């Protein structure tokens, strides 16, 4: 590829995967492939322990030596990784043209707030509860319960990066995204009803997407 050829980079969110997060229809994939001449790639990465910056650095190590012009589609915590990529690639051979944030926690999310440990468990329960049964997912829940209630949460950089008012987001939000990058966001306001009945339907989370500086 060259910088004259636009490519699409897709980044998943917290505890996600590309296939699990982006359920694109075949028609959508064809249309995107046509728009980008099939120059599309995705970044699967760990989200619990490494910070978004570490995720971005790891991706750039894999892209070392390539000259790219990128549009980024980022879900949830993936938006923070995209913003780190924007910072780290400034003045390099990789040109980020635009970022689309889908429910990205640019101002944080309650699921990463150590003062609200139940928020994390609620969020993960929603996530796991919508996937057909697997003992492996039960083990994930047990691990997260142990993390939260035994006080190990501050050691998980990938999670605490989304803490509202935390050191990571305070520093990230103090640095504006380069002006040439076009920013767009897709978000929804959601308030759970107090009388909501259990449902097998996917439920939205309280991740939010305020304006990026």
């Amino acid at each position: 590829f060259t910088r004259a050829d636009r490519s699409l980079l897709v980044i998943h969110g917290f505890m996600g995967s590309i296939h699990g997060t982006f359920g694109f229809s075949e028609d959508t994939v064809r249309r995107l492939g046509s728009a980008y001449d099939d120059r599309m790639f995705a970044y699967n990465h760990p989200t619990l322990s490494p910070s978004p910056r570490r995720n971005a650095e790891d991706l750039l190590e894999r892209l070392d030596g390539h000259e790219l012009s990128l549009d980024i589609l980022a879900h949830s915590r993936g938006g923070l990784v995209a913003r780190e990529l924007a910072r780290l690639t400034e003045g390099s051979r990789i040109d980020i043209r635009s970022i689309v944030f889908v429910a990205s926690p640019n101002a944080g999310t309650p699921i990463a707030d150590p003062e609200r440990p139940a928020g994390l468990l609620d969020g993960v329960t929603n996530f796991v509860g919508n996937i057909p049964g697997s003992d492996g997912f039960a083990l994930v829940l047990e691990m997260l319960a142990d993390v939260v209630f035994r006080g190990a949460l501050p050691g998980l950089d990938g999670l605490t990066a989304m803490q509202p008012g935390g050191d990571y987001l305070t520093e990230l939000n103090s640095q504006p995204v380069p002006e040439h990058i076009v920013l767009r966001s897709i978000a929804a306001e959601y308030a759970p009803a107090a009388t909501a009945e259990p449902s097998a339907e996917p439920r939205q989370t309280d991740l939010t997407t305020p304006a990026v500086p």
Side-chain angles (χ1 to χ4, degrees):
F1 303 160
T2 69
R3 289 183 67 163
D5 300 318
R6 289 190 309 150
S7 301
L8 176 64
L9 169 62
V10 181
I11 308 175
H12 66 73
F14 178 61
M15 292 189 68
S17 68
I18 293 301
H19 292 294
T21 300
F22 296 95
F24 294 136
S25 67
E26 291 184 10
D27 179 63
T28 298
V29 173
R30 282 194 295 268
R31 290 167 61 191
L32 288 172
S34 176
Y36 288 95
D37 291 331
D38 292 329
R39 292 184 298 272
M40 302 182 296
F41 58 104
Y43 181 35
N44 269 321
H45 57 284
T47 61
L48 195 58
S49 295
S51 69
R53 186 176 184 86
R54 181 67 258 177
N55 291 141
E57 290 170 343
D58 287 344
L59 177 58
L60 292 178
E61 288 174 8
R62 302 183 192 187
L63 296 176
D64 185 41
H66 291 275
E67 188 173 12
L68 295 169
S69 178
L70 295 177
D71 292 327
I72 300 178
L73 173 62
H75 175 251
S76 179
R77 178 188 176 280
L80 304 183
V81 178
R83 292 176 63 186
E84 291 288 10
L85 287 170
R87 293 204 296 178
L88 293 170
T89 57
E90 204 170 1
S92 75
R93 299 176 65 188
I94 295 178
D95 175 37
I96 296 178
R97 302 173 63 257
S98 67
I99 302 173
V100 176
F101 299 97
V102 182
S104 294
N106 290 310
T109 170
I111 70 168
D113 189 343
E115 300 302 317
R116 284 187 52 186
L120 171 61
L121 297 184
D122 287 345
V124 177
T125 300
N126 289 350
F127 167 76
V128 174
N130 290 311
I131 300 176
S134 167
D135 291 341
F137 289 106
L139 291 175
V140 170
L141 285 179
E142 291 177 12
M143 179 274 291
L144 286 173
D146 184 70
V147 164
V148 172
F149 293 113
R150 291 180 183 272
L153 185 62
L156 298 176
D157 292 342
L159 176 59
T160 56
M162 300 185 292
Q163 180 182 340
D167 292 342
Y168 173 80
L169 281 179
T170 298
E171 193 276 332
L172 181 66
N173 288 332
S174 70
Q175 304 294 322
V177 174
E179 292 184 358
H180 72 278
I181 299 177
V182 177
L183 303 178
R184 302 180 178 91
S185 66
I186 301 173
E189 293 186 3
Y190 173 72
T195 58
E197 295 296 327
S199 170
E201 295 298 318
R203 289 175 284 177
Q204 299 182 51
T205 68
D206 50 10
L207 298 182
T208 57
T209 312
V212 176

